[in-house]
Amino acid sequence: DETFKYCMDIGAYGVYLSGAGSTVMAVAKKDLSGDLLKFFKENSLDWQVEKLKCDMEGAIRLNK
């Protein structure tokens, strides 16, 4: 809950658990990775941050 709240406080549009809880996904327009890494360190969380880009093309048909 604290991580979710922090993500929202620093500018995430939304935060959710992905899969069986192995991933916490925060959706944001700006880069939150520096703030998140600092938060993880301050709270003794051995978590990683991976920045992803939105796929603006979406699904495409490979066989035409």
Side-chain angles (χ1 to χ4, degrees):
D1 288 340
E2 290 176 32
T3 301
F4 277 47
K5 182 180 179 329
Y6 183 75
C7 288
M8 296 301 292
D9 288 348
I10 63 171
Y13 294 128
V15 186
Y16 62 93
L17 279 176
S18 179
S22 59
T23 300
V24 175
M25 177 75 77
V27 179
K29 188 172 184 177
K30 66 178 187 170
D31 183 355
L32 306 178
S33 60
D35 290 331
L36 287 171
L37 288 170
K38 182 179 174 186
F39 176 81
F40 297 158
K41 185 175 181 178
E42 289 172 353
N43 290 278
S44 301
L45 299 171
D46 187 22
W47 294 4
Q48 300 175 40
V49 172
E50 186 170 337
K51 295 187 293 184
L52 306 175
K53 293 182 181 179
C54 288
D55 178 358
M56 301 305 285
E57 186 175 352
I60 59 170
R61 184 176 181 167
L62 296 177
N63 293 333
K64 294 184 178 183

